[in-house]
Amino acid sequence: RRRKSDSEFERDHAPKTGSVQQDCLGIGHIYEIDATIADVFLVSSKDRSRIIGKPTLYLVIDRRSRLIVGFYVGLEAPSWPAAMHAILSISEDKAALCTRYGVEYSPGDWPADAIYPGMFLADRGSEMMSRDSSLLVNGLEITVANLPKQRADYKPVVECGFKLVHRAMVDAV
């Protein structure tokens, strides 16, 4: 602890005890939400030589079941409006969503359709720290917990979700 900062020691060297599951009362209790800049370049549909940027990917994942319950992909930087799209996608009609993207739909693929959690876990990103996130607390009676910075180990489910999505993109190419 003396050779490293407190935050670095806690993140990289402190013993890990317990599991993230121990705080979770069941499916739908805790959803982890986070954003990342996808490691892919998007090109214009009219001119494939023209790069338009890297998309921001939001994932909302149920901590207990590991089910992706919401997502959003956009060209804007991580922000409250983008996070709100991901949160609203939880209650979006999944049959219409799959039809819109040409994906085969089976109700069994979405067992937690339109179920909002008791708590959202987020990092200290500006989107969930904004005053607008109080709309979730007041309107839907959902707790928003903001975790310490640089502590991805506090929300490992969504962090692993990003790795899986990235691996799927690499394998698709």
Side-chain angles (χ1 to χ4, degrees):
R1 191 178 288 271
R2 279 184 263 150
R3 283 184 257 146
K4 309 286 182 187
S5 67
D6 282 339
S7 63
E8 185 178 348
F9 177 81
E10 291 296 328
R11 183 185 67 233
D12 298 332
H13 304 289
K16 306 292 187 238
T17 58
S19 166
V20 294
Q21 296 288 354
Q22 69 192 25
D23 295 332
C24 192
L25 299 177
I27 295 173
H29 178 232
I30 299 174
Y31 287 179
E32 296 179 12
I33 183 170
D34 200 5
T36 190
I37 306 300
D39 195 19
V40 62
F41 286 101
L42 300 179
V43 296
S44 170
S45 60
K46 301 195 185 325
D47 179 7
R48 293 183 53 89
S49 66
R50 187 171 161 237
I51 296 174
I52 60 172
K54 288 185 168 188
T56 299
L57 170 65
Y58 270 89
L59 288 180
V60 183
I61 300 180
D62 177 56
R63 179 173 265 190
R64 179 61 125 203
S65 68
R66 309 295 206 256
L67 179 71
I68 295 176
V69 295
F71 69 95
Y72 176 70
V73 179
L75 290 174
E76 66 267 39
S79 62
W80 174 248
M84 203 63 210
H85 280 290
I87 292 168
L88 289 173
S89 76
I90 295 169
S91 61
E92 187 175 1
D93 179 22
K94 302 305 187 260
L97 176 74
C98 290
T99 302
R100 185 169 65 228
Y101 291 112
V103 176
E104 186 176 319
Y105 172 74
S106 171
D109 293 339
W110 299 93
D113 189 23
I115 297 174
Y116 279 92
M119 176 187 296
F120 278 109
L121 280 182
D123 55 16
R124 299 188 74 80
S126 62
E127 61 271 10
M128 296 305 273
M129 294 277 293
S130 75
R131 289 186 182 169
D132 293 329
S133 68
S134 65
L135 297 171
L136 290 173
V137 175
N138 299 333
L140 297 174
E141 298 180 7
I142 296 173
T143 303
V144 176
N146 291 295
L147 302 171
K149 64 181 182 176
Q150 297 181 345
R151 293 305 306 262
D153 57 322
Y154 282 4
K155 49 182 183 44
V157 177
V158 74
E159 297 295 342
C160 288
F162 288 132
K163 288 179 186 178
L164 292 172
V165 168
H166 179 72
R167 183 176 301 146
M169 287 189 298
V170 169
D171 291 345
V173 174

